[in-house]
Amino acid sequence: MIKRCDLPSSLAEFDIFASLDADALSDLANRVDIVRPERGELVVQHLDKSDDFYLVLSGQLTAILISGRGREVALGEMQRGTYFGEIAAIGGGERSASIFARTPAELARLPGRTLRALIRDQPGVAQVLLGDMVEKVRNLTQRSFELTALKLADRLTLFLVRAGLEQSVLVEGGELRPAPTHAEIAAQVGANREAVSRELSVLAQMGIIGTRRGCITFFEPDRLIQHAHDMGDIDAS
Protein backbone atom coordinates (compact mmCIF):
# COMPACT_ATOMS: atom_id res chain seq x y z
CA MET A 1 0.00 0.00 0.00
CA ILE A 2 1.44 3.34 -1.08
CA LYS A 3 1.90 5.89 1.71
CA ARG A 4 1.35 9.55 0.96
CA CYS A 5 4.92 10.35 1.94
CA ASP A 6 6.10 7.95 -0.80
CA LEU A 7 3.95 9.52 -3.52
CA PRO A 8 6.64 11.82 -5.02
CA SER A 9 8.98 8.89 -5.65
CA SER A 10 6.11 6.77 -6.98
CA LEU A 11 5.05 9.51 -9.39
CA ALA A 12 8.66 9.90 -10.55
CA GLU A 13 8.50 6.33 -11.91
CA PHE A 14 5.99 7.37 -14.58
CA ASP A 15 7.58 8.39 -17.88
CA ILE A 16 5.12 11.26 -18.21
CA PHE A 17 6.63 12.92 -15.12
CA ALA A 18 10.29 12.04 -15.75
CA SER A 19 11.14 15.66 -16.58
CA LEU A 20 9.81 17.06 -13.28
CA ASP A 21 12.25 18.05 -10.55
CA ALA A 22 11.85 17.14 -6.87
CA ASP A 23 9.90 20.29 -5.99
CA ALA A 24 7.47 19.83 -8.86
CA LEU A 25 6.92 16.18 -7.92
CA SER A 26 6.27 17.11 -4.28
CA ASP A 27 3.78 19.78 -5.35
CA LEU A 28 2.08 17.30 -7.68
CA ALA A 29 1.82 14.71 -4.92
CA ASN A 30 -0.07 17.21 -2.79
CA ARG A 31 -2.71 17.53 -5.53
CA VAL A 32 -3.27 13.78 -5.87
CA ASP A 33 -5.89 11.58 -4.21
CA ILE A 34 -5.19 7.87 -3.74
CA VAL A 35 -8.04 5.61 -4.87
CA ARG A 36 -8.18 1.89 -4.06
CA PRO A 37 -10.80 0.05 -6.14
CA GLU A 38 -11.55 -3.60 -5.40
CA ARG A 39 -11.61 -6.36 -8.01
CA GLY A 40 -14.51 -5.83 -10.41
CA GLU A 41 -15.18 -2.27 -9.25
CA LEU A 42 -16.09 0.39 -11.82
CA VAL A 43 -13.57 3.24 -11.74
CA VAL A 44 -14.75 5.33 -14.70
CA GLN A 45 -18.16 5.11 -16.37
CA HIS A 46 -18.54 5.38 -20.14
CA LEU A 47 -20.19 8.71 -21.13
CA ASP A 48 -19.64 10.18 -17.65
CA LYS A 49 -18.57 13.84 -17.75
CA SER A 50 -15.84 13.73 -15.09
CA ASP A 51 -12.34 14.78 -16.20
CA ASP A 52 -10.01 13.26 -13.58
CA PHE A 53 -6.73 11.74 -14.76
CA TYR A 54 -5.57 8.43 -13.24
CA LEU A 55 -2.16 6.83 -12.80
CA VAL A 56 -1.93 3.12 -11.96
CA LEU A 57 0.30 2.62 -8.91
CA SER A 58 -0.51 -1.10 -8.63
CA GLY A 59 -3.00 -3.67 -9.90
CA GLN A 60 -4.57 -4.33 -13.30
CA LEU A 61 -7.50 -2.60 -15.00
CA THR A 62 -9.46 -3.05 -18.24
CA ALA A 63 -11.00 -0.47 -20.55
CA ILE A 64 -14.20 -1.72 -22.17
CA LEU A 65 -17.23 -0.64 -24.14
CA ILE A 66 -20.59 -2.40 -23.72
CA SER A 67 -23.11 -2.52 -26.56
CA GLY A 68 -26.83 -2.00 -26.10
CA ARG A 69 -27.22 -5.80 -26.17
CA GLY A 70 -24.65 -6.26 -23.43
CA ARG A 71 -21.69 -7.39 -25.53
CA GLU A 72 -18.35 -6.29 -24.12
CA VAL A 73 -15.42 -5.16 -26.26
CA ALA A 74 -12.10 -4.69 -24.50
CA LEU A 75 -10.09 -1.66 -25.61
CA GLY A 76 -6.98 -2.25 -23.56
CA GLU A 77 -5.32 -3.39 -20.35
CA MET A 78 -3.57 -1.17 -17.82
CA GLN A 79 -1.09 -2.03 -15.11
CA ARG A 80 1.49 -0.32 -12.90
CA GLY A 81 3.21 2.55 -14.66
CA THR A 82 0.36 3.29 -17.08
CA TYR A 83 -2.36 5.92 -16.95
CA PHE A 84 -5.81 6.68 -18.31
CA GLY A 85 -8.35 9.49 -18.52
CA GLU A 86 -6.19 11.85 -20.53
CA ILE A 87 -8.79 12.28 -23.30
CA ALA A 88 -11.44 13.64 -20.95
CA ALA A 89 -8.88 15.63 -18.97
CA ILE A 90 -7.56 17.37 -22.08
CA GLY A 91 -10.59 17.64 -24.33
CA GLY A 92 -13.51 17.55 -21.93
CA GLY A 93 -16.74 15.91 -23.04
CA GLU A 94 -17.89 12.42 -22.10
CA ARG A 95 -15.72 9.49 -21.10
CA SER A 96 -14.80 7.35 -24.11
CA ALA A 97 -14.87 4.00 -22.23
CA SER A 98 -15.58 2.33 -18.90
CA ILE A 99 -12.66 1.28 -16.71
CA PHE A 100 -12.93 -1.71 -14.38
CA ALA A 101 -10.43 -3.05 -11.88
CA ARG A 102 -9.41 -6.62 -12.82
CA THR A 103 -7.56 -6.92 -9.50
CA PRO A 104 -7.42 -4.81 -6.35
CA ALA A 105 -5.57 -1.67 -7.39
CA GLU A 106 -4.10 1.60 -6.19
CA LEU A 107 -4.56 4.68 -8.34
CA ALA A 108 -3.37 8.27 -8.13
CA ARG A 109 -6.26 10.54 -9.17
CA LEU A 110 -5.35 13.95 -10.53
CA PRO A 111 -7.88 16.72 -11.36
CA GLY A 112 -8.11 17.43 -15.07
CA ARG A 113 -7.25 21.08 -14.54
CA THR A 114 -3.95 20.05 -12.91
CA LEU A 115 -2.98 17.91 -15.89
CA ARG A 116 -3.87 20.74 -18.26
CA ALA A 117 -1.66 23.10 -16.26
CA LEU A 118 1.22 20.63 -16.44
CA ILE A 119 0.82 20.35 -20.20
CA ARG A 120 0.89 24.14 -20.48
CA ASP A 121 3.84 24.72 -18.13
CA GLN A 122 5.96 21.56 -18.53
CA PRO A 123 7.02 20.82 -22.14
CA GLY A 124 8.47 17.46 -21.08
CA VAL A 125 5.08 16.28 -19.83
CA ALA A 126 3.38 17.43 -23.04
CA GLN A 127 5.98 15.68 -25.21
CA VAL A 128 5.63 12.29 -23.50
CA LEU A 129 1.84 12.54 -23.42
CA LEU A 130 1.72 13.34 -27.15
CA GLY A 131 4.01 10.41 -27.96
CA ASP A 132 1.87 8.03 -25.91
CA MET A 133 -1.31 9.19 -27.62
CA VAL A 134 0.25 8.64 -31.05
CA GLU A 135 1.16 5.07 -30.02
CA LYS A 136 -2.40 4.44 -28.82
CA VAL A 137 -3.78 5.61 -32.15
CA ARG A 138 -1.45 3.20 -33.95
CA ASN A 139 -2.51 0.32 -31.71
CA LEU A 140 -6.20 1.07 -32.21
CA THR A 141 -5.67 1.23 -35.97
CA GLN A 142 -4.01 -2.20 -35.90
CA ARG A 143 -6.80 -3.60 -33.73
CA SER A 144 -9.45 -2.23 -36.09
CA PHE A 145 -7.69 -3.90 -39.02
CA GLU A 146 -7.50 -7.25 -37.21
CA LEU A 147 -11.17 -7.21 -36.26
CA THR A 148 -12.11 -6.47 -39.86
CA ALA A 149 -9.63 -8.59 -41.81
CA LEU A 150 -8.78 -11.62 -39.65
CA LYS A 151 -10.89 -14.59 -38.68
CA LEU A 152 -11.30 -15.48 -35.01
CA ALA A 153 -8.69 -18.26 -35.03
CA ASP A 154 -6.10 -15.77 -36.29
CA ARG A 155 -7.08 -13.10 -33.76
CA LEU A 156 -6.89 -15.65 -30.96
CA THR A 157 -3.41 -16.73 -32.08
CA LEU A 158 -2.23 -13.12 -31.99
CA PHE A 159 -3.74 -12.66 -28.55
CA LEU A 160 -1.95 -15.72 -27.17
CA VAL A 161 1.37 -14.72 -28.71
CA ARG A 162 1.18 -11.18 -27.37
CA ALA A 163 0.08 -12.33 -23.91
CA GLY A 164 2.88 -14.88 -23.80
CA LEU A 165 5.48 -12.33 -24.88
CA GLU A 166 4.20 -9.76 -22.39
CA GLN A 167 4.62 -12.21 -19.50
CA SER A 168 7.85 -13.72 -20.94
CA VAL A 169 6.33 -17.23 -20.96
CA LEU A 170 6.10 -17.88 -24.71
CA VAL A 171 8.40 -20.92 -24.50
CA GLU A 172 7.80 -24.66 -24.49
CA GLY A 173 6.12 -25.48 -21.17
CA GLY A 174 5.56 -21.80 -20.36
CA GLU A 175 2.40 -21.02 -18.44
CA LEU A 176 0.14 -18.02 -18.84
CA ARG A 177 -0.93 -17.64 -15.23
CA PRO A 178 -3.31 -16.35 -14.13
CA ALA A 179 -4.85 -16.84 -17.56
CA PRO A 180 -7.69 -14.51 -18.54
CA THR A 181 -11.12 -16.10 -18.54
CA HIS A 182 -12.73 -17.09 -21.84
CA ALA A 183 -15.06 -14.11 -21.44
CA GLU A 184 -12.10 -11.74 -20.96
CA ILE A 185 -10.35 -13.17 -24.02
CA ALA A 186 -13.57 -12.84 -26.02
CA ALA A 187 -13.76 -9.14 -25.13
CA GLN A 188 -10.18 -8.70 -26.36
CA VAL A 189 -10.59 -10.50 -29.68
CA GLY A 190 -14.08 -9.34 -30.60
CA ALA A 191 -16.01 -12.59 -30.17
CA ASN A 192 -18.28 -14.34 -27.70
CA ARG A 193 -17.17 -16.67 -24.92
CA GLU A 194 -18.53 -19.81 -26.60
CA ALA A 195 -16.60 -19.16 -29.82
CA VAL A 196 -13.38 -18.55 -27.90
CA SER A 197 -13.88 -21.78 -25.94
CA ARG A 198 -14.26 -23.71 -29.20
CA GLU A 199 -11.11 -22.25 -30.72
CA LEU A 200 -9.07 -22.89 -27.58
CA SER A 201 -10.30 -26.49 -27.62
CA VAL A 202 -9.10 -26.84 -31.23
CA LEU A 203 -5.63 -25.59 -30.28
CA ALA A 204 -5.58 -27.96 -27.30
CA GLN A 205 -6.60 -30.94 -29.49
CA MET A 206 -3.77 -30.06 -31.87
CA GLY A 207 -1.35 -30.19 -28.93
CA ILE A 208 -0.31 -26.56 -29.33
CA ILE A 209 -1.58 -25.44 -25.92
CA GLY A 210 -3.05 -26.96 -22.79
CA THR A 211 -5.85 -25.39 -20.82
CA ARG A 212 -6.98 -25.79 -17.25
CA ARG A 213 -8.62 -23.47 -14.79
CA GLY A 214 -6.62 -20.26 -14.47
CA CYS A 215 -3.76 -21.49 -16.69
CA ILE A 216 -2.84 -21.80 -20.37
CA THR A 217 0.30 -23.86 -21.09
CA PHE A 218 2.30 -23.38 -24.29
CA PHE A 219 3.30 -26.82 -25.63
CA GLU A 220 4.29 -25.76 -29.16
CA PRO A 221 4.75 -21.99 -29.03
CA ASP A 222 6.79 -21.98 -32.26
CA ARG A 223 3.67 -22.92 -34.21
CA LEU A 224 1.80 -19.94 -32.74
CA ILE A 225 4.73 -17.63 -33.44
CA GLN A 226 5.07 -18.85 -37.03
CA HIS A 227 1.34 -18.33 -37.57
CA ALA A 228 1.65 -14.77 -36.25
CA HIS A 229 4.62 -14.10 -38.56
CA ASP A 230 2.72 -15.51 -41.52
CA MET A 231 0.00 -12.95 -40.85
CA GLY A 232 2.62 -10.21 -40.90
CA ASP A 233 2.16 -9.28 -37.23
CA ILE A 234 5.16 -7.13 -36.36
CA ASP A 235 4.46 -7.37 -32.60
CA ALA A 236 5.18 -11.09 -32.66
CA SER A 237 8.78 -10.64 -33.77
Side-chain angles (χ1 to χ4, degrees), residues 102 167 176-182 184-185 212-216:
R102 286 191 60 194
Q167 296 192 25
L176 195 60
R177 184 197 295 268
T181 66
H182 292 187
E184 289 170 339
I185 296 175
R212 63 182 191 275
R213 187 175 182 84
C215 179
I216 295 175

Side-chain angles (χ1 to χ4, degrees), residues 7 41 66 98 108 122 125 135 144 173 232:
L7 260 179
E41 185 175 337
I66 303 176
S98 292
Q122 298 286 349
V125 171
E135 186 63 23
S144 177

Side-chain angles (χ1 to χ4, degrees), residues 146-157 189 227 231:
E146 291 171 3
L147 289 172
T148 303
L150 302 182
K151 59 185 180 181
L152 175 57
D154 295 335
R155 301 200 302 272
L156 181 59
T157 293
V189 301
H227 189 178
M231 286 184 284

Side-chain angles (χ1 to χ4, degrees), residues 7 35 54 59-60 80 85 88 108 116 123 126 131 149 151-152 155 168 175-176 178 188 190 197 200 234:
L7 260 179
V35 181
Y54 294 83
Q60 295 180 321
R80 180 179 176 179
R116 293 190 292 273
K151 59 185 180 181
L152 175 57
R155 301 200 302 272
S168 301
E175 294 184 340
L176 195 60
Q188 290 280 346
S197 297
L200 288 173
I234 59 174

Side-chain angles (χ1 to χ4, degrees), residues 70-82:
R71 179 179 175 182
E72 293 184 3
V73 177
L75 302 179
E77 302 289 322
M78 288 151 285
Q79 56 280 323
R80 180 179 176 179
T82 60

Side-chain angles (χ1 to χ4, degrees), residues 105-117:
E106 283 189 294
L107 312 173
R109 182 174 61 196
L110 191 67
R113 63 179 179 278
T114 302
L115 179 64
R116 293 190 292 273

